[in-house]
Each structure stands twice: as C-alpha cells, then as structure tokens.
C-alpha cells in the first residue's frame, strides 16, 4: 500500500471546515491503520524541522563554524550562505562540506 492513496482524507482543514471530535478521532484511527499497513512512508519536511530540533543558523554557532566565511564574504547566517555566488567550486564545496559536516556531527 502506498500511503498517498487517499491522503487527502488526512489533510488539515481550514477553520471554517473543522470537523467535530468524533470525525477527528475516526481520522486518526484511519491514519494509524494506513501507517500500519504501509510498506513505506515518505515524510516531506522543510527547514522548520531542523529549527524545531534546536538547530540555529546564525549567532554564536554560526560564528564558531563559519566565522572565516563571514569575515571574507560578509555572510551573516548559514541559510543565505547556501545561496552565495562563490567564485569557484573549491569555495562552494568548502562551504557546503562544512555545512553538511556541522549539521550531521555538531549538536545544536
């Protein structure tokens, strides 16, 4: 079973179309069953997930990890640094290598 089949049943409704408590409970039961029967579940998440986990992309942590990039390029935060137009691939991959390393190995 692929969970996207019928996933619309589980999407959040606007405040004008909120379901009553019983309907919400039934939806949770259906979702739980669908998850139990699924072979795979894919979760799409954005940058808010890492932020919710406590990762910060600026401030002291950024200065400790990327102070040299801040001084040389004027980058003030890890997020916009990912879009910086580095002049060559060496600089580009130096940034991204450190970014990946810091995200995977450094605690928030």
């Amino acid at each position: 079973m692929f969970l996207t089949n019928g996933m619309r049943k589980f999407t959040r409704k606007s405040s004008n179309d909120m379901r009553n408590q019983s309907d919400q409970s039934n939806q949770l039961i259906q979702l739980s069953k669908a998850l139990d029967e699924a072979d795979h579940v894919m979760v799409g998440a954005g940058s808010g997930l890492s932020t919710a986990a406590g990762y910060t992309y600026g401030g002291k942590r950024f200065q400790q990890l990327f102070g040299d990039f801040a001084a040389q390029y004027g980058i003030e935060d890890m997020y916009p640094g990912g879009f910086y137009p580095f002049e060559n691939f060496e600089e580009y991959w130096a940034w991204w290598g450190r970014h990946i390393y810091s995200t995977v190995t450094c605690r928030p």
Side-chain angles (χ1 to χ4, degrees), residues 64-75:
Q64 288 175 336
L65 296 168
F66 295 93
D68 54 339
F69 283 93
Q72 185 170 348
Y73 303 105
I75 299 170

Side-chain angles (χ1 to χ4, degrees), residues 1 4 7 11 16 18 22-23 25-26 30-31 39 42 44 55 60 68 72 77 79 83 85 90 98-99 104 107-108:
M1 176 184 173
T4 57
M7 210 37 215
T11 58
N16 295 335
M18 291 300 292
S22 176
D23 286 345
S25 294
N26 287 336
Q30 290 174 351
L31 177 59
D39 296 322
M42 181 181 291
Y55 285 97
K60 183 179 176 182
D68 54 339
Q72 185 170 348
D77 187 293
Y79 183 77
F83 301 100
E90 184 178 275
R98 192 177 309 173
H99 191 291
V104 172
R107 294 282 179 195

Side-chain angles (χ1 to χ4, degrees), residues 56 59-69 78 95 98-99 101-103 106-107:
T56 57
K60 183 179 176 182
R61 181 171 184 262
F62 172 75
Q63 285 301 321
Q64 288 175 336
L65 296 168
F66 295 93
D68 54 339
F69 283 93
M78 288 170 65
W95 169 271
R98 192 177 309 173
H99 191 291
Y101 173 80
S102 70
T103 303
C106 299
R107 294 282 179 195

